[in-house]
Amino acid sequence: MNFSIKRFLQSRQAIVLLGAIGSTVLGGCWILPGPNGNGGRRSGLEIKFLAGSALDHFCEEAAERLNARNPRLDDGTQYYLSCEVLGSGDVVSSVTDLGRQLRNGTIEADDPAFPTLVSVDGGIYHALSIYQIDRIFPGQNYIPGLTDAPLLAYSPMVLLARSDIADGLRQVPDPYGAIAQFDNHRDIDPSSPPLPVRFVHTAPTRSNSGLQTLVAQFAAVTGKRPEEIDISDVKQYQDQVRAIQAKITRYGTSTSSLARDMVQNGPFWASTGSVYESLVIRANTEATDGTRYEAIYPAATYTSNMRAILPNAPWVSDRERAAALAIIEFLRSPQIQEIATDLGLRPGVPGVPLSAKFDESYGVIANPQYDSYRPPQPEVVAAMLESWQLFAKKSSQVVVVVDVSGSMRGKKLAAVQNTLLSYINNLGPKEQITIVPFSSDIGEPVLVDGTPAGRDRGIQFVSRLRGSGGTRLYDATLFARDWLQSNYREDAINAVLVLTDGDDTDSQLPFGGLQQRLESSNFESDRGVAVFTIGYGGSGGFNPDLLKQLAHTNGGYYSEGDPETIVSLMADLQLEF
């Protein structure tokens, strides 16, 4: 394998250009409102804080308190804090893309798209942001180093599991090795329940927790600290990482959503997941069925330091810098740090006490002992990500069920065709889709993969889609599930993705019958098939409650989109697989 940073960056940009457009549908990005619910439209100097998703609620609550004070600079200039929250990979890509536009002269330094403050959810993406901006502006040192960026909060990476599973994982010296080696938790520990070993973590190309998890897996299989790993190690040990990845149920872009789905879908869907410690606290806070969850602290893990990064760059004016420094001081004040601890984050300032939630009753340890990992070299990170995308990542086959009924004619179908084109062009070597169009009839499945011939076949087919007829939604969904059952791949994520703009009109199978049939392939079965649903084109045409029930039955989730948001929505969904 030719590990090329340039090739990795290009492939990653292809994903991010779709995923970072700003869809609010899946919770990938929020513009957080001011205290009057005005969506951040306040008077004064805006200090835009572009932060990783782990700081979402912290930033929201802190901004509300700060803005209520109507703060001013010494010269009388009023300012306010606005928060935009993305995955850490998208934060880095957003700043990098803006920097590239500035260098090329397509935007000015005072363009409002530039954030004043930046934060990512850990040191690896922080190091990558320095590396990428330095490549655009050599020798300028626009992004401060880790020790020059004040710490706001932190949360160690842990494994989340139910109490009856956690004890067994806690006893083994290498949890990742156990995940790879054993198929059942009782094989790990005789006292554990006989549940299948199923693992989840987020996509490392977009999420800090996913990237830290991938690096930790390479550290576990090489026996080296991350900063000691070189590119040759990545190639040598990628088989062992692939063995861990083989136990994946699903990827994703949001760590909090993945942890929530673990609680909602139960241990047959995923018995353990790599998450932030704060999400173990949240799982126990929000659990309603009495199930208790615990954190397993590996002997070595990432601390996930969340720092306030104030660029020494031309896009930060003197006034913005002064306001940002005041905001950082405010965010690190004891009363605001208490917000962090109440959310399950550890304070970034010494002397701030932990909240009462840092207790075994919430599944965590107040003073855990572990070796804190440091970031690898950026070139090694690029090699790990390329290895994951091309080799170690679990394969996927997804049946995309597309409504082409008469109500889809015009702008709606054109936008879906463009979305499918983007989806096809971004298929990796480990991914394949089968497109099934439906209206009053169900079309023949068309197999599309990431090869040149596969892409051409898919693009030609999508270009011929036309809208006509009724909506045979239930029958088409079952047809897709049955096709997957007949073509099931044990080594892949098997899923159905249904997009419709209306209620069923033509199916022979009633909704209750469809639900009953789908339940036979949920994740308590040997051949689990996830179902994801998209209500498309605006409310009134489709039944969101029904689509939610379909997705919930089989461990997926429901989303809503329209011609303006469908590209970004589907790009996020593509990262689930």
Side-chain angles (χ1 to χ4, degrees), residues 180-192:
Q181 180 180 356
F182 298 107
D183 294 327
N184 195 287
H185 280 278
R186 182 157 288 176
D187 296 330
I188 298 174
D189 176 22
S191 64
S192 293

Side-chain angles (χ1 to χ4, degrees), residues 85 109 136 156 237 273-274 338 562:
V85 180
I136 300 170
Y237 290 95
S274 181
E338 288 176 3
D562 56 39

Side-chain angles (χ1 to χ4, degrees), residues 34 60 77 81 84 218 234 276 315 407 431 440 488 553 564:
E60 178 181 10
T77 300
L81 176 63
E84 182 177 357
F218 272 104
V234 175
Y276 300 118
W315 59 80
S407 59
E431 303 158 8
S440 299
Y488 195 85
T553 299
E564 285 70 40

Side-chain angles (χ1 to χ4, degrees), residues 179-261:
I179 289 171
Q181 180 180 356
F182 298 107
D183 294 327
N184 195 287
H185 280 278
R186 182 157 288 176
D187 296 330
I188 298 174
D189 176 22
S191 64
S192 293
L195 290 168
V197 176
R198 291 174 177 164
F199 180 48
V200 290
H201 68 72
T202 52
T205 50
R206 289 277 295 275
S207 165
N208 174 73
S209 72
L211 180 54
Q212 291 184 155
T213 300
L214 180 64
V215 174
Q217 289 172 15
F218 272 104
V221 299
T222 61
K224 295 182 176 181
R225 294 185 58 81
E227 64 270 24
E228 298 170 346
I229 298 173
D230 60 32
I231 292 176
S232 66
D233 292 324
V234 175
K235 186 173 183 179
Q236 181 179 352
Y237 290 95
Q238 60 185 356
D239 279 324
Q240 288 93 318
V241 172
R242 182 167 65 173
I244 302 170
Q245 295 289 311
K247 300 300 175 65
I248 285 287
T249 298
R250 193 177 90 205
Y251 298 103
T253 59
S254 168
T255 317
S256 59
S257 295
L258 211 58
R260 180 196 62 215
D261 289 345

Side-chain angles (χ1 to χ4, degrees), residues 19 37 108 118 153 212 312 341 376 384 394 419 466 472 548:
E108 300 294 330
V118 176
Q212 291 184 155
N312 302 306
T341 66
M384 290 176 177
K394 190 169 185 177
T419 299
R466 299 292 183 269
R472 199 173 166 187
K548 288 176 185 176

